[in-house]
Amino acid sequence: MTSRYEVVIGLEVHVQLTTQTKIFCNCSTAFGKQPNSQTCPVCLGLPGALPVLNRKVAEYAIKTGLATNCSIAPRSIFARKNYFYPDLPKGYQISQFELPICEHGRLDIEVEGQPKSIGITRIHMEEDAGKLLHDSGDTSRVDLNRACTPLLEIVSEPDMRSSDEAIAYLKKLHQIVVYLGVCDGNLEEGSFRCDANVSIRPWGQKEFGTRAELKNINSFRFIKQAIDYEIERQTDILDDGGRVIQETRLFDTDSGTTRSMRGKEEAHDYRYFPDPDLVPLIVSDAWVEQMRRELPELPEAKISRFVGELGLPAYDAEVLAADRLMAEYYDSLVALNGNAKLCANWVMGELQRALNDSGTSIADCPVTPQLLAGILKRIDDNTISNKIAKTVFDAMWQSGKDADTIIEEQGLKQVTDTGAIEAIVDEVMAANPGQVEEYRGGKEKLMGFFVGQVMRATKGKANPAAVNEMLKKKLSG
Amino acid sequence: MALTDLTVHELQALLRTREISSRELTLAFLKRIADTDKHIGAFITTCEKTALENADRADARLSAGNAAPLTGIPLALKDIFITEDIRTTCASQILDNFIPPYNGTAVRKLMEQEAVLLGKLNMDEFAMGSSNENSAFGTVKNPWNRECVPGGSSGGSAAAVAARQAGATLGTDTGGSIRQPASHCGVVGLKPTYGRVSRYGVVAYASSLDQVGPVARDVEDCAIMLGAVAGYDPADSTSINLPVPDYQAALKQGVKGLKIGLPKEYFIEGLDADIQQTIDKAINTLRELGAETVEVSLPHTEYAVACYYLIATAEASSNLARYDGVRYGKRMDDGRGLIDMYMKSRAAGFGPEVKRRIMLGTYALSSGYYDAYYLKAQKVRTLIRQDFLDAFNHVDVILTPVAPTPAFRIGEKTADPLQMYLSDIFTIPVNLAGTCGLSVPCGFSRDGLPIGMQLIGRPFGEETILQSAYAYEQATEWHRHSAPL
């Protein structure tokens, strides 16, 4: 469906960082603890307490900036964002305003084969607020465990033109922060939160339309739904000759619609000013370079290496590179067994299936690359067939024993001895004279039947190639 | 002479030789407080029980022979210092029930020396004021004349020392809040360089200006107190990592050859005649001691008060947002919702001057006004700081009056906030410049009220101003006068 309007989307993403301690104090950031058990005078906002920056947060911000092609500010400033709310113990949030730590970045995405570059306006560091726990009555309680946990706010340019582009950008960004290890990427727990600014304008118009800000939507699916609903809503308004008003809207997951939360006239004047309790953060070139050296190989680079150096199909490369640990597993495996395609098939096939079936993460995988390489080695030297290899793999997953031990214990060694195979082929042909007749009469489909019979007789251990060859020779008789 | 009349360095000697015990000394001060404070009102809270426990621990340490400079010395703190398990009110209704769960850094350092904490001292609410009349716990009286103010905001800190209710005290100085009351009460008060003493555990008024400092009977006591609390603190990002000199050891270097600058903008027509005369005499004394005096210029002085009242109130409007009735302090809640609770709690909890400054600061930071007020004030502040740095290219110390008049009468200026703000006209620029200054007694007005002179030093030049003040003090008798109480 072609629309009369062009869609304009900008995204603000809040990434909760995985530092052990909070951004301005030494309290733990662990999730799900007894309310207010992880607090101190600083994150409680007690009189007299002062913030001290956790350097790790700046390191994570620099790494994220480098991975998204940002320039890193040699000097950045923390600012106070002033507003009253019970989950905000100081009456202000420490954030960055005029001089954020990263600016002018970009992410390259691809939608339906079309590459596109999305600008990143800025990345800044800030503290999270606490949580309100609403009781059944009309009272609420405040849990400040989350207060002062570190966040990065990543603000894009209004460069996206469809919900698909927005989702592609978000997934790419999500992949990067998880790859970097700066975020656990858990959308449901709120580790990766997105606000979307959505507006539409008639094609060809230079000025942006009036935007609505969609708040805190916690899954990629809902973000797409919310944006699509919002585009429809705004289109209807303009088609009816109305005007979109600038406001903040909340997405309702039950109805799949958005509703107004507050209008522009109710918008806060946050009275930003530099926080006098914190000194400017000075980032030296040496520090940036050190962070650059510590960057892992990022997905894009991995994909092009998998394709260019290892000769994998693009599809395999993308699947393998999607998850950093999976990619590292694959790299370890290829280092042990040079057959890149065979390795890819196994990681994407048997390994992925076993992980999925058992709900195991790759980090806890009982079959190490070393163990799996042991299986591949026995495939390569014809000790076992691909089919038997799967049996070995399942046994390995259960027992943790190495391939050779399993092959030995279960007698799975492949029969390649042509004499032995010939004897079995003879037996099978003798036992099925009718089928031999039919085959010779031109029903070559029966080859599968004969192979199956031979394999059954050898409990799958016969070398399939040798069996095929022998059968052909004998049957053509 | 009573024990309570002695200086800290005199008491140190008596404690170390075990001629007196800290318990005996503490009891003497507690009795002095009980006898005199009904006339002065310097204390908001006294800590008899914990003070005696402190004293007993101090005595054990003194007997063991490993005393620190302040071991066993009875001290008192402005009620802006966060003290674990001891009520900390900031002289505000909004914190009148607040008992903190932690000690600030300066307090911890004093406790580590086994100093004795006698109690918490009265002040202007949230350190906003120049007369101590803005306290929710009553106005402090000047021990020299109880119809006069002691100055502010550390009025209790200065009055308690002048009334011999504590060996020495700590105050805070954001625009003159140590030096002005020290001058009005005839004692020595020092505002260190910004970053010299940790602000961790000091209730914030204006974070970029607040600084902790001592009020004491004489210059040597001041040096001892500063040495005890100064130094880098990883818990305060704005504290500076420079070694702490031995301030006491540096005292006796004299002023011979020292260049003292007299800023022409501070010696203007209309300065109170008594102030002018006493300062002129003090300048002469310093010349006789071998100092050289030259005129200097601090050209942006006239903008300092306006600049201060934008920056300080802007920071205060944000710093005081945490007093919202949610987690601690006063809560007024009659079930009409969150906004209503905020408004009622803050309306009931804050006094009029605090409200005035929150409103001023909120305005200065508002969208559309920020550039014209807050940002402009920051630029002026840079110029004022540069004035001082330029002057210190030519001189070692700058000498000025502390206040334009001696202590004024209670109630005299309460109706006119602008007149009150001008009380700090000579002290505010030092805070804006972030450097150090002290007030040392240099005479009396015709009405018998003390007058102090201000010695301003380079950033981290506390040794130089202490050494100058010490030389002056040794050559004069002003510090030997005691308030008639």
Side-chain angles (χ1 to χ4, degrees):
Chain A
M1 186 191 80
T2 52
S3 164
R4 296 166 51 207
Y5 305 105
E6 185 183 27
V7 174
V8 176
I9 302 166
L11 297 171
E12 291 171 20
V13 175
H14 284 91
V15 172
Q16 187 176 316
L17 299 180
T18 50
T19 54
Q20 296 291 303
T21 57
K22 295 183 177 180
I23 180 169
F24 297 121
C25 63
N26 292 323
C27 291
S28 162
T29 52
F31 184 80
K33 293 282 159 39
Q34 184 76 16
N36 297 309
S37 61
Q38 302 182 131
T39 57
C40 72
V42 176
C43 54
L44 289 174
L46 292 189
L50 296 171
V52 175
L53 177 66
N54 178 349
R55 304 276 292 181
K56 203 84 192 166
V57 173
E59 292 189 355
Y60 283 11
I62 295 168
K63 283 183 177 174
T64 306
L66 290 172
T68 52
N69 311 295
C70 287
S71 55
I72 311 298
R75 178 173 176 276
S76 74
I77 302 274
F78 287 95
R80 294 185 183 177
K81 177 179 180 179
N82 294 284
Y83 65 96
F84 287 95
Y85 205 64
D87 66 5
L88 190 69
K90 297 186 293 295
Y92 57 83
Q93 177 193 28
I94 304 177
S95 180
Q96 295 195 294
F97 187 57
E98 278 189 348
L99 292 173
I101 186 161
C102 310
E103 281 185 289
H104 313 305
R106 63 158 220 292
L107 268 192
D108 297 327
I109 60 166
E110 205 176 282
V111 174
E112 289 170 1
Q114 292 296 310
K116 181 164 179 178
S117 189
I118 306 296
I120 290 177
T121 315
R122 57 185 279 153
I123 300 177
H124 70 247
M125 300 172 275
E126 63 184 25
E127 60 178 341
D128 207 344
K131 265 186 189 156
L132 290 189
L133 312 167
H134 298 289
D135 293 344
S136 49
D138 56 359
T139 58
S140 297
R141 288 172 298 152
V142 184
D143 175 10
L144 294 174
N145 280 350
R146 201 183 64 181
C148 215
T149 54
L151 300 176
L152 293 184
E153 182 174 329
I154 303 172
V155 182
S156 84
E157 291 288 308
D159 284 350
M160 286 151 279
R161 295 291 174 265
S162 68
S163 58
D164 287 337
E165 288 185 8
I167 298 305
Y169 166 86
L170 285 172
K171 286 190 169 165
K172 186 79 180 271
L173 187 59
H174 182 264
Q175 188 183 49
I176 286 177
V177 293
V178 173
Y179 242 85
L180 292 173
V182 304
C183 176
D184 67 19
N186 190 326
L187 274 75
E188 267 172 42
E189 283 179 11
S191 302
F192 188 92
R193 293 173 280 193
C194 174
D195 302 339
N197 288 307
V198 179
S199 66
I200 59 174
R201 60 181 171 189
W203 287 101
Q205 180 180 304
K206 272 215 155 61
E207 305 79 46
F208 291 130
T210 306
R211 68 174 191 268
E213 185 181 10
L214 312 179
K215 276 282 186 199
N216 276 342
I217 321 163
N218 71 350
S219 84
F220 291 131
R221 191 163 60 89
F222 289 151
I223 292 164
K224 182 167 164 53
Q225 269 185 36
I227 291 173
D228 286 338
Y229 174 82
E230 190 56 27
I231 294 168
E232 241 177 79
R233 189 186 71 87
Q234 294 184 14
T235 302
D236 288 348
I237 292 174
L238 294 192
D239 280 349
D240 292 347
R243 294 165 61 111
V244 174
I245 55 166
Q246 189 177 329
E247 61 185 346
T248 303
R249 298 181 69 85
L250 282 181
F251 179 66
D252 178 31
T253 50
D254 293 333
S255 64
T257 62
T258 64
R259 62 185 157 81
S260 181
M261 185 172 114
R262 61 167 179 260
K264 189 188 180 186
E265 64 278 7
E266 298 160 73
H268 295 289
D269 178 356
Y270 290 119
R271 291 175 286 122
Y272 281 101
F273 75 109
D275 190 336
D277 287 332
L278 288 161
V279 291
L281 176 66
I282 306 299
V283 179
S284 67
D285 290 349
W287 195 12
V288 174
E289 285 319 305
Q290 190 199 330
M291 291 301 101
R292 202 188 296 278
R293 282 194 299 276
E294 288 179 15
L295 287 182
E297 185 184 33
L298 291 170
E300 268 174 36
K302 269 201 202 301
I303 290 168
S304 61
R305 180 169 57 83
F306 287 169
V307 173
E309 289 179 23
L310 302 181
L312 289 188
Y315 174 80
D316 290 15
E318 277 169 33
V319 171
L320 288 168
D323 180 275
R324 178 176 165 181
L325 291 177
M326 187 65 81
E328 284 172 1
Y329 187 104
Y330 173 72
D331 268 327
S332 308
L333 187 60
V334 173
L336 297 162
N337 180 304
N339 188 338
K341 181 59 184 156
L342 178 69
C343 291
N345 290 344
W346 272 83
V347 171
M348 292 161 61
E350 284 310 295
L351 184 75
Q352 190 63 60
R353 180 191 53 76
L355 290 170
N356 288 349
D357 289 353
S358 61
T360 310
S361 89
I362 184 83
D364 303 323
C365 181
V367 175
T368 62
Q370 287 71 23
L371 286 172
L372 183 52
I375 297 180
L376 302 191
K377 187 175 173 201
R378 293 305 165 221
I379 297 173
D380 282 344
D381 69 8
N382 284 324
T383 305
I384 52 174
S385 66
N386 245 314
K387 189 151 184 278
I388 291 293
K390 290 175 186 176
T391 310
V392 175
F393 179 85
D394 288 339
M396 184 180 275
W397 184 275
Q398 295 302 326
S399 67
K401 290 179 182 169
D402 66 61
D404 288 352
T405 306
I406 293 166
I407 292 166
E408 184 63 38
E409 282 178 1
Q410 301 193 14
L412 298 174
K413 199 160 184 275
Q414 186 162 251
V415 179
T416 47
D417 171 1
T418 44
I421 292 173
E422 186 173 6
I424 294 164
V425 167
D426 287 345
E427 275 174 37
V428 167
M429 286 173 65
N432 300 283
Q435 280 84 349
V436 172
E437 255 342 279
E438 284 181 52
Y439 180 88
R440 287 180 173 156
K443 204 171 177 189
E444 294 192 354
K445 276 198 299 193
L446 282 169
M447 177 58 91
F449 164 79
F450 290 111
V451 172
Q453 293 297 311
V454 175
M455 294 310 275
R456 184 185 296 169
T458 59
K459 297 197 175 88
K461 289 182 290 182
N463 181 322
V467 171
N468 265 302
E469 202 179 318
M470 185 63 69
L471 275 169
K472 270 186 187 152
K473 192 173 118 194
K474 291 263 175 187
L475 284 169
S476 62
Chain B
M1 224 184 192
L3 281 177
T4 50
D5 290 335
L6 300 175
T7 63
V8 169
H9 53 94
E10 286 164 343
L11 293 172
Q12 271 181 344
L14 294 177
L15 286 169
R16 286 186 189 191
T17 55
R18 308 308 287 139
E19 276 174 65
I20 57 168
S21 68
S22 176
R23 171 171 270 269
E24 187 185 346
L25 186 58
T26 301
L27 285 168
F29 274 108
L30 288 172
K31 180 163 190 316
R32 174 80 184 164
I33 295 166
D35 291 346
T36 57
D37 207 44
K38 51 185 174 287
H39 305 300
I40 303 299
F43 281 80
I44 289 176
T45 304
T46 47
C47 316
E48 292 85 354
K49 188 164 169 284
T50 51
L52 289 170
E53 287 164 9
N54 289 165
D56 290 343
R57 276 200 302 275
D59 280 325
R61 184 159 163 184
L62 284 155
S63 297
N66 60 350
L70 293 172
T71 304
I73 304 288
L75 306 173
L77 305 172
K78 187 177 184 177
D79 208 14
I80 200 168
F81 288 90
I82 295 288
T83 43
E84 187 173 354
D85 297 335
I86 297 173
R87 183 173 74 141
T88 300
T89 68
C90 239
S92 181
Q93 286 287 339
I94 212 159
L95 285 179
D96 74 347
N97 62 359
F98 178 58
I99 297 176
Y102 77 106
N103 274 330
T105 302
V107 175
R108 179 177 53 74
K109 286 186 168 191
L110 296 179
M111 293 297 115
E112 281 168 3
Q113 291 206 8
E114 307 295 0
V116 174
L117 176 57
L118 294 168
K120 307 292 292 290
L121 296 163
N122 209 339
M123 55 185 281
D124 283 301
E125 183 179 1
F126 284 104
M128 298 179 187
S130 310
S131 68
N132 224 301
E133 291 164 292
N134 302 331
S135 167
F137 295 84
T139 300
V140 180
K141 319 271 189 319
N142 191 317
W144 293 86
N145 178 342
R146 287 178 239 156
E147 289 176 3
C148 290
V149 302
S153 66
S154 309
S157 302
V161 173
R164 282 94 70 205
Q165 294 172 327
T169 63
L170 285 184
T172 60
D173 189 317
T174 306
S177 283
I178 287 173
R179 290 157 291 158
Q180 187 253 23
S183 173
H184 286 353
C185 291
V187 293
V188 184
L190 185 147
K191 184 210 95 79
T193 308
Y194 187 78
R196 180 73 289 184
V197 183
S198 171
R199 294 184 297 112
Y200 188 78
V202 180
V203 179
Y205 158 27
S207 311
S208 74
L209 299 159
D210 294 343
Q211 189 59 196
V212 169
V215 182
R217 215 69 60 75
D218 66 10
V219 175
E220 186 167 0
D221 282 6
C222 217
I224 294 167
M225 289 290 285
L226 177 61
V229 295
Y232 174 65
D233 179 10
D236 175 0
S237 309
T238 64
S239 82
I240 305 289
N241 198 352
L242 278 178
V244 179
D246 184 341
Y247 296 112
Q248 208 179 350
L251 290 176
K252 296 185 178 149
Q253 292 169 23
V255 293
K256 194 160 275 178
L258 222 57
K259 261 193 168 171
I260 297 179
L262 306 172
K264 62 180 182 191
E265 293 82 2
Y266 285 58
F267 295 92
I268 42 168
E269 290 292 313
L271 183 64
D272 179 276
D274 289 349
I275 303 271
Q276 181 79 60
Q277 279 169 23
T278 49
I279 297 287
D280 284 347
K281 275 188 205 155
I283 292 169
N284 272 330
T285 305
L286 284 162
R287 284 199 194 110
E288 284 161 20
L289 290 169
E292 185 191 335
T293 57
V294 292
E295 187 182 274
V296 293
S297 174
L298 300 167
H300 297 93
T301 300
E302 64 172 307
Y303 305 110
V305 173
C307 175
Y308 171 85
Y309 276 96
L310 289 167
I311 292 172
T313 58
E315 292 178 6
S317 72
S318 175
N319 283 334
L320 272 62
R322 68 187 62 193
Y323 309 107
D324 58 4
V326 173
R327 297 164 311 284
Y328 48 79
K330 183 183 284 297
R331 176 190 290 187
M332 304 290 278
D333 183 10
D334 44 20
R336 291 189 198 168
L338 180 66
I339 303 294
D340 187 71
M341 183 196 87
Y342 282 154
M343 294 203 290
K344 290 212 168 82
S345 301
R346 288 168 69 84
F350 292 135
E353 183 60 28
V354 173
K355 287 177 188 158
R356 179 180 294 123
R357 294 195 193 190
I358 290 174
M359 284 189 283
L360 275 172
T362 303
Y363 187 78
L365 289 176
S366 295
S367 156
Y369 297 96
Y370 179 88
D371 289 1
Y373 294 120
Y374 184 78
L375 199 63
K376 185 75 151 237
Q378 288 293 4
K379 289 176 180 169
V380 173
R381 180 179 186 172
T382 304
L383 295 174
I384 289 170
R385 178 172 168 83
Q386 196 56 48
D387 281 356
F388 278 92
L389 297 180
D390 291 346
F392 282 120
N393 283 332
H394 307 291
V395 298
D396 303 299
V397 174
I398 292 172
L399 187 157
T400 77
V402 176
T405 65
F408 43 90
R409 299 185 92 74
I410 292 169
E412 190 180 323
K413 296 188 182 181
T414 43
D416 188 349
L418 275 184
Q419 270 306 308
M420 189 73 92
Y421 293 174
L422 290 172
S423 313
D424 295 328
I425 191 165
F426 299 139
T427 46
I428 277 174
V430 177
N431 298 79
L432 291 171
T435 192
C436 58
L438 62 73
S439 171
V440 61
C442 67
F444 289 90
S445 72
R446 271 164 292 185
D447 299 334
L449 290 166
I451 292 171
M453 72 168 155
Q454 177 170 231
L455 297 171
I456 304 167
R458 293 189 180 92
F460 299 96
E462 283 83 359
E463 287 166 286
T464 313
I465 54 174
L466 283 165
Q467 138 201 353
S468 309
Y470 185 80
Y472 174 79
E473 189 185 71
Q474 293 302 301
T476 55
E477 293 290 318
W478 308 117
H479 64 292
R480 299 194 198 284
H481 293 255
S482 283
L485 191 77

